[in-house]
Amino acid sequence: MTKQYTVAVVGATGAVGTKMMEQLTKRKFPIGKIKLLASKKSAGKDITFNGQSYTIEEATPEAFEGVDIALFSAGGAVSKVLAPEAAKRGAVAIDNTSAFRMDPEVPLVVPEVNPGDLAKHKGIIANPNCSTIQMVAALEPIKKAFGLSNVIVSTYQAVSGSGINAIEELKTQSGEWEKGKEVEANVLPVKSDKKHYPIARNVIPQIDVFTENGFTYEEMKMINETKKIMHMPELPVAATCVRVPVVSGHSESVYIEVEKDNVSVEDVKKVLENATGILLVDDITAQGYPMPIYAEGEDEVFVGRIRKDLAKDNGFHLWIVADNLLKGAALNSIQIAEALIEEGII
């Protein structure tokens, strides 16, 4: 008989928490018991999981007694307090926030890229930033085949990455534009920042607040997380992260340089065709390329528009798209949990 596990979902009422529960059901995760946890405000409400009704419990340290796997997606402040409490009680905490990503004691994992890091966990495993996940998933097989010496990425990130309020604001602003009304902005680029700009009919070249070096925290996340996940601390990585008026699905234009000489576009395509979790969509004769409208609800990372740079023989351009709430968040967390079981780590 397959061993079953007690699983806790922290932030069960949120967008990513909901997706996590959907993935647990869809992928037939071996659950013996599930605990759905949220803030004190949401405690006591009923929620449906796998066709059954459950009462949400308040997320407290004691709630993790007897839990094997705790999936966190309730904000960094909650994770910083409760993930160590879950680990202290014997659970493996898989955290979907940025709270522990750059902690040298915490593995930062994309299962298709660095599953070996899971064995090093000390009770907490970090889920990377959504934009980082889809990029490294596509770059790792290229790195293994040809080496990797440079990465420059520009992202086109959906508003769902900023939460439900950003989605609602996009919808509201679109309606206001159509009716000729004055458009109000209260959420983007950063709700807590000084200024806010409309996202409808607009693109905003700021995700998260700026750091002293002129890059935003989102851009620095991509830079630092890529180096950590791929075990390449000296890899040159540059990022420009942009919010676009798309509800779901992040897109990325990625320029890379490989170390091996005489690599062709067909060589790169062949490697990606055989890579786990990657779907190659690259047929320009039929206008075939990845787009977020087709990636929404899909598990794979889509890659296309692969072409050799015109100036550098070892330079290549790629277009990478994925559902940011699935592979970029909920699905990757569940895959981490599955890998822990498959490798006998839990």
Side-chain angles (χ1 to χ4, degrees), residues 81-307:
V81 173
L82 291 181
E85 293 291 342
K88 191 188 300 181
R89 288 164 172 79
V92 178
I94 301 172
D95 183 41
N96 194 52
T97 76
S98 62
F100 300 99
R101 287 176 185 159
M102 296 313 298
D103 186 328
E105 297 294 308
V106 176
L108 182 67
V109 177
V110 178
E112 299 92 334
V113 179
N114 59 330
D117 290 353
L118 290 172
K120 303 171 187 174
H121 85 80
K122 297 179 180 179
I124 301 174
I125 298 166
N127 198 55
N129 181 30
C130 47
S131 297
T132 305
I133 289 174
Q134 66 187 69
M135 184 173 76
V136 298
L139 296 190
E140 179 65 14
I142 296 173
K143 169 201 161 187
K144 283 182 177 177
F146 313 118
L148 191 63
S149 60
N150 194 17
V151 178
I152 301 172
V153 55
S154 295
T155 72
Y156 305 71
Q157 294 179 226
V159 294
S160 56
S162 193
I164 293 172
N165 289 339
I167 296 173
E168 291 303 316
E169 187 154 280
L170 171 59
K171 292 177 180 177
T172 300
Q173 289 172 355
S174 297
E176 289 171 343
W177 274 113
E178 292 298 325
K179 295 174 184 176
K181 293 183 177 180
E182 185 175 343
V183 175
E184 291 188 17
N186 300 297
V187 177
L188 296 172
V190 184
K191 189 172 178 63
S192 61
D193 215 345
K194 299 178 287 294
K195 284 186 177 181
H196 300 100
Y197 298 108
I199 187 60
R201 300 191 184 187
N202 195 22
V203 296
I204 303 175
Q206 179 190 353
I207 299 178
D208 212 328
V209 296
F210 288 97
T211 68
E212 290 182 0
N213 65 11
F215 286 79
T216 66
Y217 276 100
E218 181 80 359
E219 290 158 354
M220 292 309 301
K221 285 176 195 173
M222 288 198 74
I223 291 166
N224 294 325
E225 290 176 22
T226 297
K227 296 179 181 186
K228 180 177 179 179
I229 295 165
M230 300 186 82
H231 300 160
M232 298 181 75
E234 304 303 320
L235 177 68
V237 183
T240 301
C241 294
V242 180
R243 191 73 72 188
V244 297
V246 171
V247 172
S248 186
H250 288 352
S251 304
E252 299 171 348
S253 174
V254 184
Y255 169 76
I256 62 169
E257 292 173 10
V258 298
E259 293 176 338
K260 193 174 179 180
D261 294 329
N262 302 316
V263 178
S264 69
V265 168
E266 288 307 314
D267 291 333
V268 175
K269 285 185 178 182
K270 188 173 181 180
V271 164
L272 290 170
E273 274 182 325
N274 296 317
T276 303
I278 301 297
L279 190 60
L280 184 67
V281 183
D282 196 341
D283 182 5
I284 58 174
T285 62
Q287 292 178 268
Y289 34 72
M291 290 182 283
I293 195 171
Y294 298 121
E296 189 172 355
E298 302 295 331
D299 293 348
E300 294 83 5
V301 173
F302 295 74
V303 186
R305 293 296 319 276
I306 300 168
R307 57 210 186 276

